[in-house]
Amino acid sequence: MKAAFFKEHGGSEKILYDDYPDPVPGADEVVVRVKACALNHVDMLLLDGRFPPPEGLPHVNGCEVTGAVEAIGARVKGLTGGQRVIIFPGFSCGDCEYCLRGARTVCVRYGYLGAHRDGGYAELVKAPAANIVPLPEALSFEAGAAVPLAMLTSWHALVAQAEVKPGQTVLVQAAGSGVGSAAIQIARLCGARVITTVGSDDKIEFAHALGADHVVNYRTQDFVEETKRWSNKRGVDVVIEHIGGETFERSVYALTRLGTLVSIGSHDTHWGRVDLRHVYSKNLRILGTNLGSILELRTILEHLAEGRLKPVIDRAFPLAEAGSAVQRVLDRQNKGKVLLVP
Ligand SMILES: [Zn+2]
């Protein structure tokens, strides 16, 4: 098969498009012919070596994949060749303490498609049969690929972790990102009002169109001051934070008493300071979360099929131009998800 892979760490120029060994399914696995694969920030960390692929190089990125079932392992039941599917990107062992508690995303042997195994920047990809979810007919392959990591993570952060209620206020960092564009819509679906940040004025209208009530350009405005002004000095109930560094530190100042900050990524830096006086005196909650459950993914797919949520697609590149697609994300030019289509 053809794949876009890298043999050494660096920037988008390290992405090669060439022949790569075909994946062969084990007894409990399925090979999927990739129809669309979305880019994520974790891809950039894997590429530049901040999160080296656990199985080493060469490596194929790509954790959000839709496609058609191509080959089925001997013990797999309930799937048919050609079936339209979406791959749930998290792998768990099923029998460690945390899996038994139902918290599979913190499995001690947790892994991601495209990180711990080769992913979907390829014509074919292999995954456990347990991770294969039918893609509703109402959704295109491109629409489906924009969902399983970014939208699922935002859903779990807002619905399961922060327990957002109608009438509450939510600050979503970086409306132009995959998780940001998803979080705005999900917060609105929960009945919350949303303030969000963008890094350029040309993304303001985009953020409003997703449902944001107020949009702040963080390069020209102070997002904490703007959040206070927008909320009549109160602050917001929930912040969805995935940037790290000063953005994380200052996001805490945007919270109201009893507020919740959910950390779902560290796109700029893995480090962030906290003013502990705010945490204890305001009884704040700072939570971490990664991904969500297969059941939550199925729920999101229903909302998408019925039009209550919409995948936000920036543009699709041919697989052969994966390097250009990666550069677009590195340059933060995208509004929503960038896709690869073999
Ligand atoms: Zn486990």
Side-chain angles (χ1 to χ4, degrees):
M1 69 166 176
K2 286 279 193 271
F5 58 96
F6 55 97
K7 291 178 175 170
E8 47 190 32
H9 295 295
S12 63
E13 76 286 352
K14 298 294 187 188
I15 305 260
L16 310 171
Y17 177 72
D18 208 339
D19 292 324
Y20 197 83
D22 281 7
V24 178
D28 298 307
E29 293 179 321
V30 171
V31 169
V32 171
R33 181 160 291 278
V34 178
K35 299 291 187 181
C37 175
L39 276 62
N40 276 279
H41 204 81
V42 68
D43 304 3
M44 312 304 149
L45 302 180
L46 287 153
L47 175 61
D48 71 20
R50 276 182 286 168
F51 175 18
E55 294 193 343
L57 301 177
H59 179 73
V60 181
N61 274 340
C63 33
E64 295 185 293
V65 180
T66 53
V69 173
E70 177 84 5
I72 302 172
R75 281 200 295 263
V76 177
K77 293 193 170 65
L79 292 171
T80 54
Q83 187 176 349
R84 301 169 84 253
V85 296
I86 181 167
I87 304 177
F88 178 78
F91 307 124
S92 52
C93 74
D95 55 25
C96 73
E97 175 191 342
Y98 305 98
C99 283
L100 294 175
R101 280 169 63 172
R104 287 179 171 247
T105 62
V106 288
C107 170
V108 296
R109 286 179 282 276
Y110 204 62
Y112 284 94
L113 182 70
H116 299 78
R117 300 167 175 226
D118 283 342
Y121 290 20
E123 291 175 323
L124 298 168
V125 66
K126 183 171 75 170
N131 288 56
I132 303 295
V133 176
L135 181 67
E137 284 299 327
L139 293 179
S140 68
F141 287 115
E142 289 81 1
V147 171
L149 195 119
M151 198 166 259
L152 179 56
T153 303
S154 291
W155 179 280
H156 191 71
L158 285 160
V159 177
Q161 295 286 59
E163 301 177 301
V164 171
K165 307 279 190 305
Q168 287 191 320
T169 47
V170 178
L171 166 62
V172 175
Q173 294 291 1
S177 66
V179 281
S181 58
I184 292 169
Q185 295 184 64
I186 295 162
R188 290 280 304 191
L189 187 66
C190 294
R193 290 189 302 129
V194 177
I195 179 170
T196 190
T197 62
V198 294
S200 58
D201 283 347
D202 68 311
K203 291 182 179 173
I204 291 175
E205 196 44 53
F206 166 81
H208 280 301
L210 291 172
D213 298 279
H214 190 62
V215 184
V216 180
N217 183 336
Y218 65 82
R219 294 188 199 276
T220 57
Q221 294 169 289
D222 182 318
F223 78 81
V224 177
E225 291 303 313
E226 283 296 307
T227 301
K228 290 284 170 64
R229 202 166 61 78
W230 177 70
S231 59
N232 296 321
K233 299 182 183 168
R234 176 182 179 271
V236 291
D237 297 291
V238 175
V239 180
I240 298 297
E241 211 295 293
H242 50 105
I243 310 299
E246 197 182 337
T247 306
F248 172 85
E249 181 177 351
R250 305 200 68 249
S251 289
V252 172
Y253 302 140
L255 285 170
T256 188
R257 286 161 176 76
L258 305 174
T260 303
L261 181 146
V262 191
S263 168
I264 61 173
S266 49
H267 293 179
D268 268 0
T269 166
H270 298 326
W271 305 100
R273 299 197 311 176
V274 181
D275 185 335
L276 296 170
R277 293 169 297 177
H278 285 258
V279 178
Y280 57 74
S281 64
K282 294 181 185 171
N283 288 210
L284 303 180
R285 294 192 304 161
I286 298 179
L287 305 176
T289 195
N290 62 327
L291 210 60
S293 68
I294 289 184
L295 188 63
E296 288 173 306
L297 176 59
R298 287 177 181 269
T299 302
I300 292 166
L301 291 172
E302 284 173 22
H303 284 294
L304 286 160
E306 289 168 24
R308 290 188 291 270
L309 293 173
K310 63 177 184 352
V312 184
I313 295 166
D314 176 68
R315 64 182 271 204
F317 289 78
L319 178 60
E321 295 172 23
S324 303
V326 166
Q327 193 58 48
R328 184 169 175 79
V329 174
L330 288 172
D331 292 340
R332 301 195 175 186
Q333 290 176 324
N334 57 305
K335 297 174 190 159
K337 303 295 288 183
V338 174
L339 305 182
L340 294 175
V341 180

